[in-house]
Amino acid sequence: MTDETNRPHVLLVVAHPDHDSAAWTLTRAVERGLRADARAEVTVHDLTATGFDPVFTAADLAVHRLRGEVPADVAREQRLVESADLVALLFPVYWWSLPALAKGWVDRVFSRGWAYENTATGTGSALDELHFVGFAGVRADTYHRRGYRDALTLQLQHGIAGYSAIPNSSVELLYGTETSDPAAHRELATQAGALGADLARRAHAALDRKSGRVTGQPM
């Protein structure tokens, strides 16, 4: 019988409406890379399919001002995140940033008193591991030449994960997803699978830290 306490739970949060897209094809490759580790438990959370509303409302503002209750849909998302040892947000890069659905998920779910200024955890955040996986339509040289990768890293890893005092985070980009070259897509799928395997390793390390088996170092 498998010891469930030794099975890290990875939550893949996906923000893309088209399951036939390159973004979803690569998401499935990431998932396969994770599931190659038989001990990893994987949940794929499709924000479009669940009907998550990304619009930040007066109720969300009241939570931010510590004057209101967390909306029920946000509370469900937070419980799902809390059930995971590692969370990865997967998204297509729009206008060198997150699409509205992914950004709204962060805006609403990463609320004050939970994602940051969380005194209950003693760490400042309800999350220990948050990783961003972006699917970039153009090639890597464009991102590096124009500073887009640096801008995304600053926004996501430092502006969101760092501000929330999440100890372990990363930003990974898979480039050139709009190509029509089958060989390029196969290479992207290979890269996505390797990324999934790496996330599985990170999740095991996170579970070990939680259970006190090792002290661990931030990755």
Side-chain angles (χ1 to χ4, degrees):
M1 182 179 294
T2 302
D3 183 356
E4 293 297 321
T5 62
N6 290 326
R7 297 192 63 189
H9 179 203
V10 176
L11 175 65
L12 302 180
V13 180
V14 190
H16 197 290
D18 182 6
H19 279 247
D20 293 325
S21 65
W24 265 102
T25 298
L26 295 176
T27 292
R28 289 189 285 270
V30 171
E31 182 185 3
R32 287 194 297 273
L34 278 161
R35 293 191 185 280
D37 181 335
R39 291 189 297 159
E41 179 184 352
V42 185
T43 297
V44 178
H45 185 45
D46 181 349
L47 293 178
T48 300
T50 63
F52 179 77
D53 186 353
V55 178
F56 191 89
T57 68
D60 300 299
L61 183 58
V63 172
H64 176 73
R65 291 174 173 171
L66 304 179
R67 298 176 184 171
E69 296 294 324
V70 176
D73 62 336
V74 172
R76 286 194 297 270
E77 297 294 313
Q78 290 177 345
R79 288 194 295 269
L80 181 60
V81 168
E82 289 171 351
S83 74
D85 298 295
L86 181 149
V87 177
L89 177 59
L90 297 88
F91 58 93
V93 178
Y94 289 170
W95 295 106
W96 320 116
S97 186
L98 297 170
L101 183 56
K103 181 57 164 58
W105 185 76
V106 173
D107 287 346
R108 298 192 65 214
V109 176
F110 284 50
S111 59
R112 182 181 181 187
W114 183 81
Y116 61 98
E117 296 181 18
N118 186 333
T119 58
T121 63
T123 61
S125 180
L127 294 83
D128 293 321
E129 295 267 352
L130 176 63
H131 302 278
F132 299 93
V133 181
F135 305 120
V138 299
R139 298 184 309 180
D141 57 350
T142 300
Y143 271 71
H144 291 290
R145 185 175 68 254
R146 297 187 178 274
Y148 296 144
R149 179 179 174 84
D150 290 341
L152 274 167
T153 299
L154 183 65
Q155 176 193 5
L156 303 177
Q157 191 170 12
H158 300 288
I160 296 175
Y163 184 81
S164 300
I166 298 170
N168 303 287
S169 66
S170 67
V171 176
E172 299 290 344
L173 297 175
L174 296 175
Y175 299 100
T177 61
E178 291 185 356
T179 181
S180 58
D181 180 1
H185 280 289
R186 288 193 294 271
E187 173 58 27
L188 283 167
T190 298
Q191 294 174 20
L195 178 56
D198 183 61
L199 291 175
R201 288 190 291 270
R202 290 176 182 265
H204 278 289
L207 182 59
D208 285 343
R209 288 193 298 273
K210 284 183 180 180
S211 62
R213 284 191 286 267
V214 295
T215 57
Q217 293 293 324
M219 300 174 103

